Amino acid sequence: MAEKRQLRSSQSKILTYRSGWMGISAVPGAGKTYTLSRLAADILLRGEIAPDQEILIVTLVNSAVDNFSARIATFLQEANVLPGMGYTVRTLHGLAHDIVRQRPEAVGLAEDFSIIDESEATRILEEIAAAWMRSNFHLITGYLSPDLSEQKLEDVRRNNLPRLVQNIGLQTIRYAKDQELSPEALRLELDRLPMPLPLAEMGWAIYADYQRALRYRGAVDFDDLIRLALLALKLDPALVKRLRYQWPYILEDEAQDSSRLQEEILRHLAGAEGNWVRVGDPNQAIYETFTTASPDYLINFRRTPGVISRELHESGRSTLSIIRLANHLIEWSNRLPPEDLLSKGLAYPLIRPTSPDDPRPNPPDQPEKITLHSQAFSPAEELQKVAKSIARWLQEPENQGRTVAVLSSNNKRGFDMVDELRRQGVDVVDSLLRSTQATRAAASALSDLLNWLAEPDSPSLLSKAYQAWRTRGDLSKEEKMQIPRVARQLQALRRVEDFLAPQPGSGWPQESLAREDPGLYAELIRFRDLLQRWQSAATLPPDQLTLTLAQDLFTEPSDLAVAHKLSSLIRQSASIHPDWHIKQFSAEVAVIARNQRRFIGFSDEDTRFDPDRYPGKVVVATIHKAKGLEWDRVYLLAANNYDFPSNEYDPYIAEWWYLRDQLNLEAEALAQLKAALSKNEYDFYQEGEASRQDRREYVRERLRLLFVGITRARRELVITWNTGRNGNLTPARAFQELIAFWNKSHG
């Protein structure tokens, strides 16, 4: 059934699933995407759902959407079943958007509500935080170090505190929305306290101003989208009943990164008697710091009475030596005493190698290909050492066709590595470090054209459409200078129809303009011809209209690829919403243009990055971006006690030199909020405790990050460390433990 391929024993157990709730813990390389996709295909092939029903697959990132869809389609095709029917794959934000769009009025939104992207949300917060600082600087001075000189105090006030205040506001907003609290509801909770909590008050003030700014724009942010989707489900039993029928099976991927609201949404959709499968790896929960996500939701779900608990513990990704290193970290962290900050930072099960007859067995073991450098390097020496090692490795005949990556814990170190590799003449792929601004610009240009076609009598939208069209491609200096002039002319039009369909004697531009400014006149006529062509194309189906516009907008293959992806998404939307017009599709494309990374996604950053496409080149990425990927040889940089701290004495990235008592004000602000919201009279705020607790959570997350980095390697692994900018860093404690274990095992 589905695909005639030998199953591992753990996969076979999962594919016996028929109904109910099931929680699965999966180790790196266990094939969870394969297993979950095959489970979906098996459910379809057994005829478990009606023709008007679907299996709902929910995943974390946009890249996984296409991956799941392609896998399921392959299984169905091999069973001679037409793919594309009976299942839908959504990110959480895509699912929330679908739910809210069905009943926007029920949650207080207009039909044409918009979603602001992270960059716009950040700009709003920056302005609000700056305004708060101008009026309330005195309220935060008590948290500053008393050792600051007047000069340093002024520097901190100007360069450091605005960002800190902004971050405190952001954490308050996220937490309040996760708790489903409006600014008004949070104000009531704060007012019942016997004395004010200053950081909570600061957070509330920024939250209130932020929500006012969103209401002014008629917009919601990503956190609102999730919150309102749950609210819609709570308020509308008929909607819940309809969606439960539509999606009788829910399969959830990457459940280790689930939040309370995500769990609640899926719990409502599944129902107590429904079918809900959750799979994830708590040891790959590396996005938890200052988010509302936690691996505890999956862990506790698996422990719930009545929930089927399974493990995907067999992995064919790595050699036995690499598996031993990863497993030793798990065992070591679980042997540490409870008071140790790293205690139980990693969870069982251990990774098990595959059987010898597995279709994807572990690579042949070569312990000599594991190198754990104990010697100290300066930051520059570490980069040089790694770059020279890679250059030699790429030249060895046995490595032709193999893949290699350098992984760092932050982007800056990654870019430093890219520069050094290029100095050594090594071919580098750094797309995982870079943003997707070009893709966003392409989508935005299409959005501007569709927006004008939806309202063709608007001079301002006409002006934006011109700028979207004209700013694409290589332009001369003169052409660039002319763009604002033409845009202003179009913006100033009283009647757009006088420009589009000029009547004798009343049309514009007048022929006199041809004599006065022939360049401007020619540009306007050329653009008018295009507009008339686009208006004629407006009768086409929306996906074909998108492609027609793209032919006039783009010449770059990457931009045209974006347009094709957009047209496909628009075609899907048209099939779901046959009553939509250009205005609705324009709004959808605008959402994609602004929010693609966390919402729709089609960029190089969010589509499936395939390391095997780059043999002979070195991929440089952060460990976070490398999650889900694998290479033959992996270098891990900077395994020191700053990048991977382990105790209260190690330097800690969230503790700022200008604050007193090593306080982490973002953690302290959240602790004050939790105290304000607690109904337990014995829960009270104690300054400093939240900072200490956050340090524990952070060092455990960094241990998981090291684990993720190690498990990206198939055959060969090299780990180095550096002494930092001031030369005072030491090897990370977890790295020291690995060195001792390795030397003892292979001494």
Side-chain angles (χ1 to χ4, degrees):
M1 182 175 286
E3 183 184 275
K4 302 303 182 182
R5 168 173 146 180
Q6 178 180 332
L7 292 169
R8 296 166 183 162
S9 60
S10 57
Q11 292 174 325
S12 296
K13 288 181 181 178
I14 289 167
L15 293 176
T16 62
Y17 168 84
R18 293 297 181 270
S19 63
W21 289 11
M22 180 165 69
I24 305 165
S25 182
V27 303
K32 65 181 179 64
T33 302
Y34 171 89
T35 307
L36 209 60
S37 300
R38 177 156 174 178
L39 177 60
D42 283 0
I43 292 170
L44 290 171
L45 294 172
R46 289 197 301 266
E48 301 275 349
I49 65 172
D52 58 345
Q53 293 179 313
E54 294 177 319
I55 299 168
L56 172 64
I57 299 105
V58 181
T59 188
L60 180 67
V61 295
N62 301 306
S63 57
V65 171
D66 287 341
N67 196 19
F68 270 108
S69 297
R71 285 286 184 95
I72 297 170
T74 298
F75 293 145
L76 296 178
Q77 285 173 334
E78 291 177 352
N80 295 317
V81 173
L82 185 67
M85 304 292 289
Y87 59 95
T88 187
V89 189
R90 290 284 189 272
T91 64
L92 175 65
H93 294 92
L95 173 64
H97 179 262
D98 290 347
I99 293 171
V100 173
R101 279 291 181 196
Q102 294 202 33
R103 289 291 308 277
E105 75 286 352
V107 292
L109 294 178
E111 287 284 345
D112 59 347
F113 76 91
S114 62
I115 306 166
I116 66 166
D117 66 3
E118 292 178 28
S119 61
E120 187 174 352
T122 298
R123 285 194 298 271
I124 294 170
L125 274 176
E126 285 175 349
E127 294 172 2
I128 293 170
W132 187 94
M133 275 287 297
R134 287 193 293 271
S135 304
N136 300 283
F137 173 66
H138 62 286
L139 297 179
I140 203 171
T141 54
Y143 291 102
L144 300 179
S145 170
D147 300 328
L148 293 177
S149 66
E150 285 297 325
Q151 182 179 354
K152 285 188 175 180
L153 179 61
E154 182 56 33
D155 183 63
V156 166
R157 177 176 183 170
R158 184 172 58 254
N159 298 317
N160 301 101
L161 288 181
R163 176 57 59 86
L164 178 62
V165 170
Q166 179 185 332
N167 287 344
I168 290 172
L170 176 62
Q171 303 315 323
T172 301
I173 291 166
R174 285 178 173 170
Y175 183 76
K177 291 183 178 182
D178 189 64
Q179 297 299 310
E180 303 172 75
L181 285 172
S182 66
E184 296 75 19
L186 180 56
R187 181 71 262 165
L188 292 175
E189 296 294 337
L190 292 173
D191 286 343
R192 70 179 179 84
L193 297 176
M195 62 180 62
L197 296 172
L199 296 174
E201 291 288 344
M202 177 202 304
W204 172 83
I206 294 171
Y207 180 25
D209 285 346
Y210 176 78
Q211 287 303 105
R212 276 193 288 271
L214 293 190
R215 285 196 292 270
Y216 176 77
R217 291 165 170 79
V220 296
D221 64 12
F222 285 118
D223 295 314
D224 282 323
L225 200 61
I226 305 301
R227 176 181 62 85
L228 293 173
L230 178 57
L231 179 60
L233 296 175
K234 288 180 176 180
L235 294 177
D236 193 340
L239 174 63
V240 174
K241 183 178 180 181
R242 185 167 71 250
L243 293 178
R244 283 181 182 174
Y245 177 80
Q246 181 179 344
W247 297 319
Y249 286 86
I250 299 174
L251 310 184
E252 179 189 1
D253 185 33
E254 303 289 4
Q256 79 278 352
D257 292 315
S258 181
S259 67
R260 186 186 75 86
L261 290 186
Q262 174 171 337
E263 186 175 75
E264 284 297 305
I265 287 173
L266 298 184
R267 193 181 296 273
H268 270 75
L269 291 177
E273 305 301 319
N275 307 305
W276 182 15
V277 177
R278 312 182 74 184
V279 58
D281 181 1
N283 290 341
Q284 296 191 72
I286 56 175
Y287 300 105
E288 317 312 307
T289 301
F290 289 129
T291 73
T292 56
S294 172
D296 290 341
Y297 291 109
L298 175 61
I299 292 170
N300 294 334
F301 178 83
R302 295 183 67 234
R303 294 172 178 168
T304 303
V307 170
I308 306 165
S309 183
R310 292 285 184 266
E311 293 177 350
L312 276 171
H313 45 59
E314 299 157 297
S315 173
R317 171 182 293 168
S318 305
T319 65
L320 294 183
S321 290
I322 294 170
I323 288 175
R324 289 191 192 103
L325 282 175
N327 282 343
H328 182 72
L329 276 184
I330 297 173
E331 293 177 312
W332 173 67
S333 73
N334 280 275
R335 287 198 304 266
L336 294 172
E339 64 272 14
D340 194 299
L341 296 188
L342 290 175
S343 177
K344 294 182 171 53
L346 292 166
Y348 289 104
L350 299 177
I351 304 171
R352 297 184 189 179
T354 61
S355 61
D357 60 344
D358 192 273
R360 295 189 64 191
N362 303 89
D365 196 27
Q366 295 177 286
E368 69 277 8
K369 299 295 186 180
I370 307 294
T371 304
L372 309 180
H373 284 278
S374 59
Q375 65 266 45
F377 298 119
S378 70
E381 289 170 342
E382 182 185 37
L383 296 177
Q384 293 164 9
K385 176 83 174 179
V386 169
K388 290 178 180 178
S389 173
I390 290 173
R392 290 193 302 270
W393 187 86
L394 289 171
Q395 295 303 314
E396 295 173 6
E398 67 180 28
N399 297 324
Q400 300 305 303
R402 291 187 175 178
T403 58
V404 57
V406 183
L407 307 181
S408 65
S409 62
N410 61 74
N411 266 32
K412 183 182 184 305
R413 192 64 176 162
F415 281 121
D416 290 343
M417 187 74 250
V418 169
D419 292 341
E420 182 60 35
L421 285 164
R422 286 177 174 156
R423 278 193 289 270
Q424 298 284 345
V426 176
D427 204 351
V428 181
V429 177
D430 63 355
S431 58
L432 289 175
L433 291 173
R434 300 191 177 276
S435 69
T436 58
Q437 182 59 41
T439 300
R440 285 194 291 271
S444 180
L446 277 170
S447 170
D448 287 339
L449 265 60
L450 286 170
N451 215 19
W452 174 73
L453 284 171
E455 297 183 49
D457 58 346
S458 168
S460 60
L461 294 180
L462 177 64
S463 179
K464 286 187 70 174
Y466 168 75
Q467 293 173 75
W469 164 69
R470 200 64 179 102
T471 52
R472 308 301 299 179
D474 296 327
L475 301 176
S476 67
K477 182 179 179 180
E478 292 74 18
E479 288 173 323
K480 289 179 181 178
M481 292 177 63
Q482 186 169 253
I483 291 173
R485 296 178 59 221
V486 177
R488 285 194 296 269
Q489 292 273 6
L490 296 172
Q491 176 81 41
L493 284 173
R494 291 186 177 182
R495 285 165 43 96
V496 174
E497 64 182 276
D498 288 341
F499 174 59
L500 291 176
Q503 300 298 317
S506 62
W508 187 87
Q510 299 287 353
E511 291 188 4
S512 59
L513 185 62
R515 296 188 297 273
E516 298 166 6
D517 194 335
L520 179 61
Y521 182 83
E523 181 77 355
L524 287 166
I525 296 300
R526 180 186 177 197
F527 182 54
R528 184 172 68 188
D529 291 344
L530 270 177
L531 292 173
Q532 292 168 347
R533 164 181 155 82
W534 294 342
Q535 279 196 311
S536 298
T539 58
L540 293 171
D543 56 317
Q544 295 181 34
L545 171 62
T546 302
L547 291 176
T548 300
L549 298 176
Q551 293 300 317
D552 290 328
L553 271 178
F554 307 132
T555 57
E556 292 294 323
S558 59
D559 291 338
L560 291 169
V562 170
H564 278 274
K565 179 67 175 179
L566 271 172
S567 70
S568 175
L569 293 168
I570 287 173
R571 184 168 60 252
Q572 294 175 20
S573 296
S575 66
I576 298 170
H577 304 285
D579 57 328
W580 275 15
H581 300 291
I582 292 178
K583 182 177 181 180
Q584 285 81 18
F585 293 113
S586 169
E588 286 296 287
V589 176
V591 166
I592 295 169
R594 293 192 304 268
N595 306 326
Q596 78 193 54
R597 187 182 186 283
R598 290 182 60 188
F599 195 58
I600 302 296
F602 44 77
S603 67
D604 288 341
E605 175 183 312
D606 242 6
T607 53
R608 183 69 176 173
F609 182 91
D610 184 2
D612 290 330
R613 291 172 53 195
Y614 303 101
K617 300 180 180 181
V618 56
V619 175
V620 181
T622 62
I623 303 175
H624 285 90
K625 287 289 184 70
K627 183 182 171 191
L629 306 178
E630 57 191 71
W631 291 267
D632 293 310
R633 184 176 177 90
V634 167
Y635 291 81
L636 293 182
L637 299 179
N640 56 41
N641 63 329
Y642 180 77
D643 289 72
F644 301 96
S646 64
N647 56 54
E648 59 186 275
Y649 306 109
D650 285 335
Y652 179 39
I653 195 171
E655 289 174 355
W656 301 110
W657 58 273
Y658 54 85
L659 298 175
R660 62 172 173 81
D661 303 326
Q662 293 185 299
L663 288 179
N664 180 336
L665 291 196
E666 291 153 276
E668 296 295 323
L670 288 181
Q672 290 188 5
L673 277 175
K674 292 173 184 177
L677 298 175
S678 175
K679 304 304 180 185
N680 187 337
E681 61 179 308
Y682 298 104
D683 287 341
F684 56 90
Y685 170 70
Q686 183 177 354
E687 184 178 274
E689 183 58 35
S691 296
R692 288 187 288 273
Q693 181 60 33
D694 186 70
R695 173 184 283 274
R696 180 184 184 90
E697 294 303 319
Y698 179 76
V699 300
R700 286 155 60 92
E701 183 176 307
R702 301 305 279 191
L703 179 65
R704 295 195 291 268
L705 191 69
L706 180 62
F707 176 87
V708 168
I710 290 170
T711 54
R712 299 311 94 196
R714 293 171 179 155
R715 300 169 179 270
E716 305 175 25
L717 177 67
V718 180
I719 307 180
T720 59
W721 70 282
N722 67 66
T723 57
R725 184 172 53 187
N726 298 321
N728 60 346
L729 300 182
T730 62
R733 187 161 145 238
F735 183 38
Q736 293 182 55
E737 175 63 28
L738 288 178
I739 292 172
F741 165 75
W742 193 251
N743 289 343
K744 183 178 179 180
S745 303
H746 300 82

